[in-house]
Amino acid sequence: MTTSRSSGGRRLHPTVRYVAGRVAQAVVVLWAVYTVTFGILYLLPSDPVSLQLAAANVQVDELSPAELAAAKAQYGLDRPLSTQYFDHLGGLLHGDFGRSISLHRPVGELLAERLPSTLALGATAIALALLLGGGLAYLAAYVRPGRLKLALNRLPAVGVSLPPFFVGLLLVQVFAFELGWFPPTGTEGFSSLVLPAVTMALPTAAMLAQVLTRSLDDQLAEPYVTTAAARGLSRQYVQARHALRNAVLPALTLLGLLLGATVTEAVVAETVFSRQGVGQMAQQAVLAQDVPLVQAIVVVAATAFVLINLVIDLVYPLFDPRITHTPRVS
């Protein structure tokens, strides 16, 4: 049975049920991420009051009891933990991320300053990863068996094995210091995006190419491809029109995880290339033990990860409509 009933007895279309289920899962995941992050930052065997006051350059040992009580009240640390939890959660729902203790500014204001740079870097890296990974996989599946195909099939393993920080330093040495084509650091202009975007894109492109190449090879060995060739259709047409569509689902699943990982890779890229973005700010917030800022960055990164995977989930039915008609297991 491919339909279900709402509480009023009205049948829901399978597509509506599928979309509603994925959106509900995304909301639950975001709530869980916030709760776990809050628990880790406030319930670990350490003193969150000392951590946050230290971020504000206030040494707890040097304060009198009255001064300590006043400092706690100033940062809202004198309230019960459950009250802080629900206050922070309510603030997040209204776009209020609190106030950075180390930078003495609203967290939302800091994110608004740094987020555009990180989004531009992430979008460029994702576009490069899709272009490089998809193009390499398509070419590797298209060429006839031989040395070239073998080399193309082995190439992604090289990209996966290279750590991003090493790739970044290598790119800076060659393309910035030796050739002078791109600036080694900075946030100004499109040219400053190239090297960090390539650093972030290479591992993602390599893993995407590995999965898509294998999936394309499997589809090209299916009987329907032989039938299409017997009807006179060209190899290029069959691969682009039929095999690629069927092969893209496994790669799409992996792509959601890889694009989410791209968000976290921004920390490495922005640190290596000294870019003024959220990733670099996250590193500084962790070193300064700025709990409100760290918590806000984790929630924003988790939101980006969940939204990317939600979009991937909603794209699935376009390639395989059977997904929305899968009956529920009761």
Side-chain angles (χ1 to χ4, degrees):
M1 189 174 180
T2 57
T3 58
S4 62
R5 292 176 181 276
S6 66
S7 57
R10 183 180 177 184
R11 290 179 183 277
L12 292 177
H13 191 277
T15 303
V16 175
R17 192 184 69 198
Y18 175 81
V19 173
R22 292 301 182 271
V23 172
Q25 289 177 11
V27 172
V28 172
V29 168
L30 286 177
W31 169 77
V33 167
Y34 168 78
T35 302
V36 170
T37 305
F38 185 91
I40 290 175
L41 293 176
Y42 286 87
L43 299 180
L44 282 178
S46 60
D47 185 2
V49 176
S50 299
L51 288 177
Q52 298 198 41
L53 292 181
N57 295 321
V58 177
Q59 299 301 321
V60 176
D61 297 338
E62 299 175 357
L63 298 178
S64 65
E67 290 173 333
L68 179 59
K72 288 182 177 179
Q74 178 183 355
Y75 295 105
L77 302 176
D78 57 337
R79 298 169 298 171
L81 200 58
S82 59
T83 303
Q84 295 184 49
Y85 171 84
F86 287 110
D87 282 352
H88 289 171
L89 181 60
L92 283 177
L93 293 177
H94 290 85
D96 181 7
F97 293 92
R99 191 175 182 83
S100 167
I101 295 177
S102 62
L103 300 176
H104 309 290
R105 294 179 58 191
V107 173
E109 190 176 297
L110 294 170
L111 289 175
E113 286 181 2
R114 300 291 189 96
L115 204 52
S117 172
T118 301
L119 289 178
L121 176 60
T124 307
I126 290 171
L128 278 174
L130 291 175
L131 185 64
L132 295 175
L136 179 60
Y138 190 88
L139 183 62
Y142 183 73
V143 299
R144 302 288 182 182
R147 292 183 179 179
L148 178 58
K149 186 178 181 65
L150 183 63
L152 292 174
N153 285 334
R154 295 291 183 268
L155 198 55
V158 178
V160 173
S161 62
L162 294 176
F165 72 90
F166 174 76
V167 174
L169 294 176
L170 185 63
L171 292 176
V172 168
Q173 181 64 33
V174 174
F175 293 100
F177 295 145
E178 298 292 337
L179 300 176
W181 291 357
F182 304 103
T185 59
T187 318
E188 299 299 326
F190 179 76
S191 59
S192 67
L193 271 178
V194 176
L195 295 184
V198 172
T199 302
M200 293 170 58
L202 282 181
T204 303
M207 284 186 273
L208 179 64
Q210 279 187 319
V211 174
L212 189 55
T213 301
R214 176 62 63 87
S215 186
L216 270 172
D217 286 339
D218 291 341
Q219 289 299 321
L220 291 174
E222 291 291 328
Y224 74 86
V225 173
T226 305
T227 303
R231 294 175 56 191
L233 299 178
S234 67
R235 177 183 174 83
Q236 182 178 358
Y237 180 84
V238 174
Q239 179 171 325
R241 184 68 177 81
H242 300 291
L244 183 59
R245 180 187 178 93
N246 295 329
V248 79
L249 276 180
L252 204 57
T253 304
L254 179 66
L255 186 62
L257 300 176
L258 294 180
L259 295 185
T262 302
V263 177
T264 59
E265 288 172 3
V267 176
V268 177
E270 290 179 352
T271 301
V272 171
F273 294 95
S274 298
R275 288 185 59 83
Q276 298 293 318
V278 175
Q280 188 189 56
M281 189 168 65
Q283 183 212 21
Q284 295 168 348
V286 170
L287 293 177
Q289 299 177 335
D290 192 336
V291 173
L293 188 53
V294 172
Q295 188 175 17
I297 292 173
V298 170
V299 171
V300 169
T303 303
F305 184 87
V306 167
L307 288 178
I308 289 172
N309 281 276
L310 178 61
V311 171
I312 296 290
D313 282 345
L314 298 181
V315 168
Y316 273 134
L318 300 179
F319 294 93
D320 189 354
R322 295 174 299 177
I323 292 176
T324 59
H325 291 76
T326 302
R328 292 185 301 178
V329 178
S330 59

